Amino acid sequence: MGDLAGTLSAACGEAFEAIGLDRKWGAVRRSDRPELADFQCNGAMGGAKSAGRVPRDVAAEVAGRLAGHEAIASCEVAGPGFLNIRVTDAVLTARAEAVRSEEMAGAEKALDAERVLIDFGGPNVAKPMHVGHLRSAVIGDTLQRVLKFLGDDTVSDTHLGDWGLQMGHLVTELYDEQPDLIYFDADYTGPYPEEPPVTIDDLGRLYPQASNKAKADPARNERSQLATAELQAGRPGYRALLKHFIDVSVAALKQDYAFLNVSFDMWKGESDVAHLIDAVVEDFRARGLAEEDDGAVIVRVEREGDKKDYPPLMLVNSRGGTGYHTTDLATIKERVEELRPPLDRMLYVVDYGQALHFEQVFRAAGMVGYFPEERLEHIQFGTVNGPDGKRLRTRDGGNFALADLNAMALEEAEKKIIEGGRLPEDMGQDERDAVAAAVALAALRFADLQNTRTTNYVFDLDRFTSFEGKTGPYLLYAAVRIKSLLRRAAEEGHAPGPIRVESDAERALVLALDGFGHALTGTREKRMPHILCEHVYNLAQAFSAFYGAHPIAAEKDAETRASRLGLCEAVLKQLETGLDLLGIRVPERM
Ligand code: ARG
């Protein structure tokens, strides 16, 4: 069964068509004035204008044709020609039952499902992740969940940064500490030890050490550049080190991502397309798109209307090295060639600071014929700021490691749980830990996702972990409250039964449930998770109002009690589905 806005729009569109106007005027949405109507249609004004007619007359004719529709209790003309529609209790009852019984909790598969690659996460080997990587992880993961749920065939890739100067920094710094390692013997070509020569802590130490030295000393930087070029050219010992660095990093990254409930189908990286770099350069040359420029190879991608000095794309630099542009192009080439079924679209969930990079890469990919430019989308997002409104930094001005953010969130969640005295006395330590982790997860993910993706937000753990307000923990609390209500009712022998929607609070609650599909479609089409957040929050609030307005398990009338418990089941199902799509785990008790 489709949602009510859709059903009513179809009926209304037909009515417009029947009086000789375009069906598009029949678009129906939730009413701005819930006390007056459930839904409204504002199309009579535009429709009348298009035909040189009087809006109120058009509205009245449409209303006349809608009378008697099985979903519609009343349809009234208001003001200059608004249509105010009230739906029947019966159709609301059917909607509630559909949410409770249907697998998708009231939503429906998209009719235009696609094969979509989602490139998100994008951590760099050795460099600690920063809060920008937090955003990419949770936004990208949420999009992958929502798209998959709606029927898209998604495949996700972390796209590790493992091909740039940071690798040269690591190689040279490790050499300075342990020059005798076999990897540095230029005459030796393998085999190399299986055991990595470094731990994740070593990497965390070596990289900043080297990068600080390189900033102060051009000669030190040059050594790293050179090592990077040698690595890229295929020096066996360096390639063997690269593999170790990647393995060690990936093991640590997987832990940070697991904490955030984020997963990837593929853990590929820039270095995985090293073998395609020459072919990419050749593809551009063969089409006459590459230009020699002071020893470098560039592609001019500027267009009419661009700002002056729009920079060219760099395929090969004057040292013969290749960077971010080239690996991204090679990755597109590889994805197109290797992935089956073939891709319809690629999404890149990366901060807006990289807008120019992606614009250049997408243009070049289109020009060379790898993939249509308009099917490459940069899903940009804003920055995470500190209380001072500037990019969030540690006290000494560095980037926050994601692992530290996770740990801070966990600590704050534990504090809130203890302060609130929320957990049942009999709960063991393992379950307490799991609840704290769920609260931290809900706090971090919801705080991020509820913002319009493109805006910046202020990182405030105290607020994020609060059980009050528009927060992840509030939503967990709402879901857990329904679980325990249903559990207690069952213990008293009260089972949920057929739903009957009657009171205002019940109607409002079911109207909220009805918006799920629309919220998901909006999230998918605009790539905007805050739309789903908004829905889930509104649903929790509508449930709160319902809970405040009526006895549920304590209701005396058996049928009404069973109906209200049934409604609780429907709400819980959709709430849990929605939270799961946001990557939030709901504990059994709290
Ligand atoms: N590693 C990059 C960074 O930290 C992000 C990678 C995004 N994905 C891509 N295909 N370029 O900035």
Side-chain angles (χ1 to χ4, degrees):
M1 168 179 194
D3 63 11
L4 293 174
T7 307
L8 296 173
S9 293
C12 219
E14 264 169 47
F16 272 97
E17 209 165 55
I19 61 166
L21 296 173
D22 198 299
R23 37 182 331 127
K24 75 172 180 202
W25 301 114
V28 168
R29 57 179 170 82
R30 283 292 298 285
S31 170
D32 298 332
R33 314 259 317 257
E35 70 286 4
L36 291 183
D38 301 327
F39 292 90
Q40 68 185 53
C41 169
N42 301 350
M45 276 79 75
K49 193 168 176 208
S50 74
R53 300 186 48 192
V54 179
R56 276 193 70 98
D57 293 352
V58 169
E61 279 183 46
V62 171
R65 287 182 178 268
L66 288 176
H69 186 283
E70 55 172 3
I72 298 177
S74 68
C75 178
E76 279 157 13
V77 181
F82 297 115
L83 287 165
N84 280 336
I85 302 171
R86 202 175 147 83
V87 291
T88 62
D89 290 350
V91 79
L92 287 173
T93 298
R95 282 302 291 150
E97 289 291 8
V99 169
R100 172 156 71 155
S101 64
E102 286 173 6
E103 202 186 331
M104 291 179 70
E108 283 176 4
K109 298 264 183 223
L111 297 173
D112 57 349
E114 293 184 319
R115 168 84 166 147
V116 187
L117 179 130
I118 311 181
D119 179 318
F120 72 97
N124 299 309
V125 167
K127 287 202 238 175
M129 288 197 260
H130 52 72
V131 284
H133 294 108
L134 165 77
R135 297 214 70 187
S136 177
V138 300
I139 295 169
D141 180 61
T142 302
L143 291 178
Q144 105 175 314
R145 287 168 187 262
V146 170
L147 265 57
K148 207 181 287 182
F149 185 71
L150 294 181
D152 290 306
D153 178 8
T154 63
V155 50
S156 57
D157 181 14
T158 33
H159 200 72
L160 284 180
D162 58 4
W163 199 236
L165 181 61
Q166 80 268 28
M167 307 318 300
H169 280 329
L170 287 179
V171 168
T172 47
E173 198 65 16
L174 182 62
Y175 174 81
D176 290 350
E177 285 193 356
Q178 303 186 56
D180 297 332
L181 287 177
I182 187 76
Y183 305 93
F184 298 114
D185 183 343
D187 298 326
Y188 183 78
T189 53
Y192 292 94
E194 299 268 316
E195 265 313 290
V198 287
T199 63
I200 185 67
D201 292 332
D202 292 328
L203 293 184
R205 177 173 50 80
L206 291 170
Y207 173 74
Q209 228 166 265
S211 111
N212 287 337
K213 287 181 197 167
K215 266 179 215 137
D217 174 8
R220 175 69 190 81
N221 193 51
E222 188 57 32
R223 280 180 60 213
S224 295
Q225 296 273 14
L226 202 69
T228 308
E230 282 183 274
L231 168 78
Q232 294 188 350
R235 182 167 161 168
Y238 288 6
R239 285 292 179 96
L241 277 179
L242 173 73
K243 189 169 176 320
H244 285 312
F245 295 158
I246 293 173
D247 291 346
V248 168
S249 284
V250 165
L253 288 168
K254 283 194 172 162
Q255 284 183 10
D256 293 347
Y257 284 131
F259 186 86
L260 291 173
N261 201 11
V262 166
S263 64
F264 301 92
D265 299 317
M266 301 193 297
W267 279 81
K268 299 201 116 198
E270 294 165 354
S271 69
D272 284 307
V273 292
H275 63 288
L276 289 174
I277 298 283
D278 290 345
V280 168
V281 177
E282 195 38 50
D283 288 338
F284 280 89
R285 284 220 166 95
R287 284 168 186 73
L289 295 167
E291 240 176 80
E292 312 295 323
D293 184 69
D294 263 347
V297 184
I298 62 167
V299 181
R300 296 198 186 277
V301 293
E302 77 258 31
R303 295 197 178 141
E304 227 174 87
D306 284 342
K307 64 176 172 52
K308 260 211 208 112
D309 305 323
Y310 190 95
L313 175 138
M314 179 76 64
L315 274 186
V316 183
N317 65 29
S318 48
R319 276 194 194 78
T322 51
Y324 199 32
H325 279 143
T326 324
T327 48
D328 260 328
L329 284 165
T331 304
I332 293 173
K333 183 179 170 78
E334 187 193 43
R335 286 172 182 164
V336 171
E337 283 169 4
E338 304 281 318
L339 292 176
R340 291 294 171 271
L343 298 174
D344 294 314
R345 200 175 286 280
M346 297 186 215
L347 311 185
Y348 291 78
V349 186
V350 188
D351 66 277
Y352 66 67
Q354 300 195 23
L356 176 63
H357 167 80
F358 286 109
E359 188 175 81
Q360 292 178 295
V361 168
F362 296 170
R363 286 182 182 186
M367 284 160 67
V368 78
Y370 289 166
F371 204 74
E373 184 186 333
E374 68 282 1
R375 290 174 167 270
L376 295 164
E377 288 179 36
H378 180 195
I379 311 299
Q380 333 189 354
F381 51 81
T383 57
V384 185
N385 295 336
D388 58 356
K390 299 208 188 93
R391 242 174 219 268
L392 186 69
R393 301 260 183 223
T394 56
R395 276 206 198 97
D396 51 16
N399 282 325
F400 261 105
L402 191 53
D404 295 343
L405 281 183
N406 290 344
M408 281 162 57
L410 188 59
E411 199 178 305
E412 195 65 32
E414 277 161 356
K415 200 173 111 194
K416 290 280 161 50
I417 290 170
I418 293 168
E419 273 172 10
R422 288 181 179 272
L423 299 188
E425 297 278 310
D426 65 331
M427 192 181 268
Q429 195 56 43
D430 286 355
E431 199 180 344
R432 282 172 190 270
D433 291 347
V435 169
V439 169
L441 174 69
L444 281 177
R445 286 193 68 133
F446 193 78
D448 190 293
L449 295 168
Q450 70 155 117
N451 300 287
T452 311
R453 161 167 68 67
T454 44
T455 58
N456 304 340
Y457 71 89
V458 173
F459 195 81
D460 179 353
L461 270 183
D462 181 42
R463 189 165 57 83
F464 296 174
T465 54
S466 168
F467 282 89
E468 275 136 46
K470 198 172 177 182
T471 67
Y474 165 76
L475 294 168
L476 283 192
Y477 176 65
V480 171
R481 180 163 68 175
I482 305 176
K483 285 193 186 195
S484 62
L485 186 159
L486 286 167
R487 208 167 32 230
R488 264 183 284 122
E491 282 161 16
E492 288 162 22
H494 300 325
I499 298 173
R500 284 182 338 214
V501 180
E502 287 162 345
S503 76
D504 284 350
E506 288 168 342
R507 292 180 59 94
L509 181 55
V510 179
L511 284 168
L513 285 170
D514 183 58
F516 189 45
H518 188 69
L520 284 172
T521 308
T523 300
R524 172 178 181 264
E525 285 172 0
K526 300 196 172 74
R527 326 287 191 207
M528 290 281 196
H530 78 272
I531 301 174
L532 175 57
C533 291
E534 203 66 32
H535 173 79
V536 171
Y537 180 69
N538 288 339
L539 179 60
Q541 287 210 306
F543 181 79
S544 242
F546 161 75
Y547 185 85
H550 300 301
I552 301 175
E555 166 63 43
K556 296 277 176 313
D557 179 68
E559 276 180 28
T560 307
R561 182 175 60 231
S563 160
R564 293 200 181 133
L565 287 170
L567 204 42
C568 287
E569 276 190 326
V571 173
L572 179 62
K573 173 163 185 180
Q574 193 182 82
L575 200 52
E576 278 200 287
T577 306
L579 288 172
D580 181 62
L581 291 172
L582 296 171
I584 294 173
R585 294 194 187 98
V586 182
E588 282 312 303
R589 323 188 281 167
M590 200 162 90

